[in-house]
Amino acid sequence: MSYTRTSAGVVVLTVVAAVIAGCSGSSSGTQSSSGSAVSSASPAQPSPAPTESNPPGDIPDNQVYVTYRPTSGFTGFTVKVPEGWARTDKGATTVFTDKLNSVRITTAAASTAPTVASVTNTVVPQLRSQVPKFASPKASQVTRHAGQVVLLTYQGDSAKDPVTGKVVRDAFERYAFYRQGHEVDLTLSGPVNADNVDPWRTVSDSFAWR
């Protein structure tokens, strides 16, 4: 009888140990699973860069303009350009630049006044071969203080920045002024998204013959 009671006690202890081991394993498995779930969660994404308060290429509202009077070549006109912009002269072309914007003035002898048709058929093909990614040309006749002129608008890529290597998509306004055998082409350019409507109107309206 003593042997029987001892055997029964051993059986009971064995069952209890098995139950405890099972619970311990289940708890360990649960912790492991939970730990795996936490470690596989996606890391927090960085916040977007802050939006610039002034888009690149916007000419300040308080920009001052000065009158440009050519002293060589054809000198029979004046036009206002932004003060402080860098000036470059090359042949019959003078360019004023500041950061991403430019004002280009080119003079030439011409026997007839430019028309929407002549600009579309002659100037557009020339620019297509000169301006990288030339696109969206549209010629029209508009009125400025100097009178009726032909306006050609188009888009193209800027030259690569020598420091950053960045290329900017530019919008162009090319005004063709004509009088008595002389044509003056005024080209204004800047980034497509820049709001330079008023500055470009100031410059193009300031053109005057003398």
Side-chain angles (χ1 to χ4, degrees):
M1 294 298 292
S2 175
Y3 174 77
T4 302
R5 285 198 298 272
T6 302
S7 299
V10 171
V11 171
V12 171
L13 291 173
T14 302
V15 172
V16 171
V19 170
I20 293 174
C23 292
S24 176
S26 174
S27 175
S28 175
T30 302
Q31 291 174 354
S32 175
S33 174
S34 175
S36 174
V38 171
S39 64
S40 64
S42 300
Q45 297 297 319
S47 300
T51 302
E52 295 187 44
S53 58
N54 294 312
D58 273 15
I59 298 174
D61 293 338
N62 61 352
Q63 174 66 56
V64 176
Y65 298 85
V66 295
T67 300
Y68 165 66
R69 296 179 176 84
T71 56
S72 61
F74 176 61
T75 61
F77 69 95
T78 61
V79 62
K80 288 185 178 180
V81 298
E83 184 180 41
W85 286 23
R87 173 179 167 179
T88 303
D89 296 295
K90 185 176 181 180
T93 299
T94 298
V95 183
F96 296 89
T97 58
D98 179 68
K99 298 175 184 177
L100 302 177
N101 299 298
S102 72
V103 175
R104 177 181 296 269
I105 306 163
T106 302
T107 62
S111 58
T112 58
T115 64
V116 171
S118 68
V119 169
T120 300
N121 297 330
T122 304
V123 177
V124 169
Q126 293 174 351
L127 293 174
R128 195 181 299 278
S129 65
Q130 298 169 356
V131 179
K133 305 296 178 61
F134 179 86
S136 306
K138 180 181 179 181
S140 60
Q141 189 172 60
V142 298
T143 301
R144 289 296 183 264
H145 286 332
Q148 294 289 311
V149 297
V150 178
L151 167 63
L152 173 64
T153 58
Y154 58 96
Q155 293 184 9
D157 284 356
S158 69
K160 183 180 295 186
D161 187 286
V163 177
T164 65
K166 185 177 181 180
V167 175
V168 178
R169 189 65 174 168
D170 282 338
F172 296 80
E173 295 181 10
R174 179 186 183 276
Y175 297 86
F177 297 87
Y178 177 86
R179 190 177 76 165
Q180 299 175 353
H182 295 283
E183 180 175 338
V184 179
D185 298 324
L186 174 66
T187 304
L188 316 172
S189 66
V192 168
N193 292 325
D195 183 12
N196 288 332
V197 174
D198 290 339
W200 288 160
R201 184 63 187 244
T202 296
V203 174
S204 59
D205 260 343
S206 72
F207 182 92
W209 299 105
R210 63 172 184 161

